[in-house]
Amino acid sequence: PSYILQSPTQLHDLYKNHPYALGLASEIAQSVDVKLPQFDVPTSDSVPPGEDPHHYLERQVWQAAGPTPSPQLKSRLEYELQIIKAKNATNQFLILLKLVSTLHQNGFFARLQGSSANSEVASELRMSQIYALDLYFGRFLNPGRTGWPDFDLSLSPKGQAFAINLLLSTYSTATRLAEIVHFREKGL
């Protein structure tokens, strides 16, 4: 079964040969009031007691960037950190930082992919192996984007099991944990 919310236009396109089903679907949709659950990202457990999570993230980033970052790097990191704070995504970064660091320390391969790898903050914190300074960050996280940023993380099957167990044991009160597995055939 598919659990995907689709627009009326998408449903019409899918079931245009079944107008009776579309009529029933419309009646059902008008008779229910669906509220999707809201949840907060848990607070990262790596933040020292009494310290603000965003200040902790900033401290980690500037320590990784070194004592004299180039003006271009300084500007990019300031910009990204400002957006991360404004979008309330600090804890996501900190949780991912701990996850990736722990995976690496335990000998597992872990790499950010997709637009999340375009973050220079992620690059400086060694969550990404991409030098992201010349890449477009806005596709991943920008002031106009609604919703949470998504992080695409590549892991081996053993790394996936380790990561899931780590997250569940660390954030046992978290109500949502998603695992999306995608296998792509490679051609020559």
Side-chain angles (χ1 to χ4, degrees), residues 43-49 51 56 60 94-95 97-98 170-171:
T43 301
S44 171
D45 70 333
S46 59
V47 180
E51 187 166 357
Y56 178 76
Q60 298 301 309
L94 291 172
I95 290 169
L97 172 59
K98 180 179 179 180
T170 305
Y171 303 102

Side-chain angles (χ1 to χ4, degrees), residues 27-45:
E27 283 180 39
I28 291 169
Q30 292 173 11
S31 70
V32 296
D33 185 21
V34 176
K35 300 272 191 231
L36 297 177
Q38 298 291 320
F39 66 96
D40 293 323
V41 173
T43 301
S44 171
D45 70 333

Side-chain angles (χ1 to χ4, degrees), residues 9-75:
T9 303
Q10 291 170 314
L11 287 172
H12 184 269
D13 290 346
L14 282 171
Y15 299 103
K16 61 185 167 201
N17 295 330
H18 305 282
Y20 180 71
L22 283 172
L24 286 177
S26 178
E27 283 180 39
I28 291 169
Q30 292 173 11
S31 70
V32 296
D33 185 21
V34 176
K35 300 272 191 231
L36 297 177
Q38 298 291 320
F39 66 96
D40 293 323
V41 173
T43 301
S44 171
D45 70 333
S46 59
V47 180
E51 187 166 357
D52 174 73
H54 195 75
H55 289 130
Y56 178 76
L57 176 63
E58 287 178 330
R59 191 163 44 87
Q60 298 301 309
V61 169
W62 293 117
Q63 183 178 349
T68 55
S70 71
Q72 183 185 13
L73 177 60
K74 185 175 186 284
S75 175

